[in-house]
Each structure stands twice: as structure tokens, then as C-alpha cells.
Amino acid sequence: MPHLARSAGHRASASLPGPQLLTRVTGDVVSFFAALDHAVLESSPESLGVLQDAIDALMRSAARTRIELGRILGRDEGAALRHDGAAQADESASPI
């Protein structure tokens, strides 16, 4: 998938909680699909309420994942900016 391709400046971070993240998101996705299937087949107020709860949980899980990813990418970009800034300072300080 093109949107999953990583640029050269972004590398996987060890602080991303891989197994926990995968477990949480997978559980929320599975719950959503089960609730959706049930709501489509039954279409009762109760099944629609369960679907609404599953949607809310999935959205919270996606939001937590997005925040964590932004934190990691922000840290990686911050490190790259600090490195680039130091390299530019070294270049400007060296006599030609």
C-alpha cells in the first residue's frame, strides 16, 4: 500500500508498543465487524446500540494509535532537525 511506505527519514521506533497496539486495535476491529454483522442481520435497537459502542471503541483506538504515531514521528523528526541544525552550524563555522 503506497500510504504505508516509509520515507528515508522515518524509521521504525522501538518505543511503538507493537504487540499491545496490534492486540488493542485488532480486538476493536473484530468487535466492530461482529457488531456490524449483528446489526445488519437483526437491526434491533439493542444491536444498533452495540454497534454504536463498537464504533466508539474503534474510533478511540484509532485516535490513541494516531496520537502515539504522531508522538513517535515528531520525536524522529525533532531528532532529524537537531542533527540537520548541527550539521549546518558545523558547515557555517568551518573556514573556506
Side-chain angles (χ1 to χ4, degrees), residues 4-88:
L4 295 178
R6 302 183 76 88
S7 68
H10 293 120
R11 62 194 188 321
S13 174
S15 67
L16 184 65
Q20 296 90 356
L21 177 67
L22 183 60
T23 299
R24 180 180 66 221
V25 173
T26 300
D28 288 339
V29 168
V30 168
S31 294
F32 166 74
F33 280 130
L36 181 62
D37 285 345
H38 187 69
V40 167
L41 293 174
E42 188 176 305
S43 194
S44 70
E46 181 182 314
S47 67
L48 295 177
V50 170
L51 176 58
Q52 186 174 25
D53 291 344
I55 291 168
D56 290 345
L58 183 57
M59 290 175 65
R60 282 190 302 273
S61 182
R64 285 190 303 264
T65 302
R66 179 63 179 98
I67 289 167
E68 180 66 15
L69 182 59
R71 183 187 65 77
I72 291 166
L73 292 176
R75 184 185 61 226
D76 289 348
E77 289 172 3
L81 289 173
R82 286 189 298 278
H83 176 72
D84 290 345
Q88 289 174 356

